[in-house]
Amino acid sequence: MMRAVPFINAIISPATKTQRAAAGGRLRVAAHLQSIAIGSVIPLAVLGLWSWAVALHLMRSQILPAPITVWQTGIDLLRGGDLFAALAVSLQRVVVGLLIGGTLGMIAGIAMGRSRTIDAYLGPTIRTICQIPTIAWLPVFMLIFGIGEELKVAIIAKAAFLPLLLNSFAGMRVAPARFHEVADVLVLNAWQRLRLVTIPAALPLLAAGLRLALSNAWHVLIVVEMLASAAGIGHMMAWSRTLFQLDVVFVTIAVIGATGWLMDAGMRWAERRLMPWNVPG
Amino acid sequence: MMRQSVGVRVDWRSLALPAACAVAWVVASATGWWNPHLLVPPKQLAGGLIDSVGNPDFWLAVGTSVLRLGIGWTIGSLAGVLLGIIVGCSRLAERFVAPSLNSVRQVALFAWIPLLTAWFGDGETAKVILIAVAAFFPAALNTEIGCREAPAALIEVGRVFEFGYWARVRRIVLPSARPSIAAGLQIALTSAWIGTIGAEYLIDQGDGLGVFLSSARMDNRMDIVLVCIVTLGLIGYLLSTLLRVSFAKGAPLRGAALADDCRRCTARATRCGKIVCRRRLRNPRARKRFV
């Protein structure tokens, strides 16, 4: 949902820039290891408390399974392929919904960004409707689409629509006036201007919109799958909760977190690799 | 929203689409060419509105939800601001806490519900904890960034005055973090409101607007569902306006920094997590929304 820039930086590059610049290779590795050690104090403490609580039977084992049980379950689910099957279903829904909603959002955003008339007609209505959070639309969508596959795709499309609309809208208008002045000086034609000014200026924004859309879509999908689904990682979690298999619940929570993180990190990495001209800050 | 900042000038073109939809709605429901259960006729929607407004249960549900939101938000954002100050003022604390905090934050909010209901039951505790979690992260993140981003010039002034660590934190870091903390509290409120409705809707026990909504859906009452959704949108808007106004009364929030891409004007968060959002700088009332 929100960007954790400082937190993520703290993980990826724990030492400050000056420290890194000053330190040589071995020192850098040592600093890195030190950071990892410091960062894992709290998780290890939690793990210790958890094992201690289990060992003393502070809570019933259905409610608080032992860490080792959770680990075993995780391995079993991975080996048995259940986890991947559920994850595949969920990811497929995200991709389809993202394609539909994202494309529509991008088309609307580009149209509104290029033409002030279209913006004047459509903009206020779309912006007003989008003020209501996606989760609140869920009951309406359930009445309209039932609880089948259409529901998931529609709600993900809705979640992905707004970020891409707003960002492509801004992307169309973001190129600084100076760039256009330079283009004027260089006497670029329309195609060259599009290729050299408009698209490079808009792409980083589009990528940011896509990343936001992906994270929204993932969060919303989990809710939909918990409510109304017969497959997917959210369903797996809700179902094992019903069966009081809390070890599976722990595993799915970890998988949901890890998947969300991986998608975000992957998008960031792709952004950096594909758009080296976009140096933030 | 966009026009408010300019004045009360209304662009009539913006009304064309809603008007067209309204006409289509009236015609479609009069001729009955679409399922009237889904496309509720205007008369029925008005009836649903009157039913809900006249129904004490509805207001009880609204009151319960807002109360729950208040409790959860207070707990969550207090904890968030405290941790944010600690993490933002101390590099060591950051290295200890940030990695864990960041990993936990990656889990979608509502994915905690199965665990919370298993541990605390379907009652008030699980819901309030979820709301607190929803409020916690935005508050913590924005506070942390606000504390870290204290202007270097001010820190230098502090050095000239030979401030100690505590004096620096109390007289420079915290005051300069204020706008960011206020923004964090606002985002936390929006996030907590979504958490409230979602928790009630997903757990579907006890009372509250989310439960009311859920039972209206079960009864296939699209009119009441729509009334509920508009109500929750309005409440979210009102609460967040209230908070903004009270902060603005306390001290003007100029150039509040948010740790996210700004959705309204799509300014991008810079690497340090601060957004440089010209719209927000110009118009502190520009807000943002989640999910």
Side-chain angles (χ1 to χ4, degrees):
Chain A
M1 216 182 259
M2 305 214 343
R3 286 175 58 171
V5 184
F7 288 152
I8 286 185
N9 277 349
I11 289 181
I12 295 172
S13 49
T16 62
K17 279 205 192 89
T18 39
Q19 275 174 320
R20 266 187 292 157
R26 254 186 44 214
L27 273 178
R28 198 159 56 195
V29 171
H32 214 92
L33 284 178
Q34 189 200 10
S35 278
I36 292 176
I38 292 182
S40 43
V41 167
I42 290 182
L44 286 178
V46 170
L47 210 62
L49 268 178
W50 184 2
S51 322
W52 179 71
V54 170
L56 291 186
H57 299 287
L58 289 184
M59 286 166 97
R60 279 182 295 134
S61 64
Q62 291 114 309
I63 290 190
L64 193 71
I68 191 78
T69 320
V70 174
W71 178 253
Q72 280 292 331
T73 311
I75 301 280
D76 289 349
L77 286 174
L78 272 180
R79 288 240 173 86
D82 298 350
L83 210 51
F84 283 123
L87 206 55
V89 172
S90 298
L91 288 178
Q92 192 202 340
R93 285 170 179 160
V94 168
V95 169
V96 176
L98 204 60
L99 276 180
I100 297 176
T103 315
L104 287 178
M106 219 144 74
I107 292 173
I110 290 175
M112 282 160 59
R114 306 253 4 148
S115 147
R116 286 190 192 267
T117 317
I118 296 181
D119 183 32
Y121 276 106
L122 298 184
T125 309
I126 293 181
R127 289 193 189 94
T128 310
I129 291 177
C130 287
Q131 286 291 314
I132 298 180
T134 308
I135 304 261
W137 285 110
L138 202 52
V140 178
F141 277 39
M142 279 167 95
L143 283 176
I144 296 178
F145 296 104
I147 55 171
E149 205 63 27
E150 299 93 337
L151 170 73
K152 288 109 194 172
V153 172
I155 204 98
I156 291 172
K158 155 72 182 73
F161 180 79
L162 182 66
L164 274 163
L165 174 122
L166 288 182
N167 279 30
S168 52
F169 175 81
M172 287 296 115
R173 298 192 172 175
V174 78
R178 275 176 307 163
F179 288 8
H180 284 293
E181 279 163 23
V182 172
D184 285 339
V185 170
L186 295 176
V187 207
L188 298 184
N189 61 31
W191 164 244
Q192 285 168 323
R193 191 183 285 254
L194 184 74
R195 195 170 63 86
L196 295 173
V197 179
T198 310
I199 292 182
L203 268 184
L205 275 170
L206 277 185
L210 197 62
R211 208 178 60 230
L212 207 59
L214 195 63
S215 130
N216 282 357
W218 184 243
H219 285 229
V220 167
L221 177 73
I222 300 302
V223 177
V224 187
E225 285 188 342
M226 279 167 67
L227 264 180
S229 181
I233 192 89
H235 168 255
M236 189 173 176
M237 181 168 71
W239 184 239
S240 31
R241 160 70 183 85
T242 313
L243 299 178
F244 256 96
Q245 297 173 337
L246 274 246
D247 46 345
V248 183
V249 173
F250 273 109
V251 173
T252 45
I253 287 181
V255 169
I256 289 170
T259 313
W261 186 81
L262 272 179
M263 291 197 296
D264 199 62
M267 291 286 294
R268 275 168 200 282
W269 179 80
E271 262 175 68
R272 273 198 307 276
R273 292 302 297 270
L274 300 177
M275 286 172 263
W277 66 87
N278 172 41
V279 182
Chain B
M1 232 352 89
M2 292 205 75
R3 317 231 169 277
Q4 271 177 17
S5 54
V6 191
V8 245
R9 206 183 67 220
V10 176
D11 187 339
W12 294 107
R13 290 177 296 177
S14 67
L15 301 177
L17 185 62
C21 289
V23 170
W25 177 32
V26 171
V27 170
S29 44
T31 54
W33 61 263
W34 221 43
N35 186 350
H37 282 299
L38 299 183
L39 197 70
V40 192
K43 205 189 275 175
Q44 196 193 332
L45 187 61
L49 184 63
I50 291 167
D51 277 0
S52 310
V53 171
N55 185 353
D57 288 349
F58 177 74
W59 294 109
L60 193 69
V62 171
T64 316
S65 291
V66 172
L67 186 67
R68 211 170 265 154
L69 168 74
I71 299 173
W73 175 73
T74 310
I75 298 174
S77 52
L78 271 182
V81 168
L82 270 181
L83 192 75
I85 291 175
I86 295 171
V87 173
C89 291
S90 147
R91 283 274 164 199
L92 188 68
E94 186 204 343
R95 291 174 76 186
F96 269 106
V97 178
S100 316
L101 208 58
N102 187 46
S103 335
V104 175
R105 226 171 50 82
Q106 295 301 327
V107 179
L109 175 65
F110 294 110
W112 293 111
I113 285 187
L115 207 57
L116 288 178
T117 53
W119 284 350
F120 303 104
D122 289 340
E124 228 37 57
T125 323
K127 287 173 206 161
V128 170
I129 292 179
L130 190 89
I131 301 167
V133 171
F136 173 80
F137 286 111
L141 201 63
N142 281 287
T143 307
E144 187 223 343
I145 285 160
C147 291
R148 180 142 321 134
E149 304 266 300
L154 289 185
I155 303 272
E156 250 165 60
V157 171
R159 210 166 284 147
V160 170
F161 280 105
E162 297 183 342
F163 278 177
Y165 179 78
W166 290 114
R168 197 178 74 212
V169 167
R170 205 168 53 83
R171 302 180 69 166
I172 295 175
V173 175
L174 289 185
S176 66
R178 253 185 62 124
S180 183
I181 295 176
L185 290 180
Q186 274 184 47
I187 303 172
L189 188 70
T190 313
S191 165
W193 182 234
I194 293 171
T196 310
I197 299 298
E200 290 169 355
Y201 192 80
L202 282 167
I203 297 177
D204 207 8
Q205 291 288 328
D207 46 9
L209 194 55
V211 181
F212 202 84
L213 186 62
S214 168
S215 62
R217 188 190 68 77
M218 292 289 188
D219 300 341
N220 226 357
R221 288 290 299 272
M222 185 62 129
D223 47 345
I224 296 188
V225 167
L226 287 177
V227 170
C228 287
I229 288 176
V230 172
T231 311
L232 73 87
L234 277 178
I235 291 176
Y237 180 75
L238 280 179
L239 287 175
S240 133
T241 309
L242 208 68
L243 196 66
R244 200 177 59 220
V245 168
S246 55
F247 279 138
K249 281 257 163 65
L253 300 176
R254 272 189 298 271
L258 300 181
D260 196 1
D261 292 333
C262 173
R263 290 223 182 153
R264 186 161 295 280
C265 66
T266 69
R268 297 202 60 204
T270 54
R271 191 181 285 158
C272 62
K274 188 171 186 167
I275 23 172
V276 186
C277 163
R278 259 164 285 138
R279 215 181 126 68
R280 175 170 282 276
L281 290 176
R282 220 182 316 120
N283 173 18
R285 304 199 322 180
R287 297 172 315 123
K288 59 195 297 298
R289 283 244 164 191
F290 286 104
V291 187

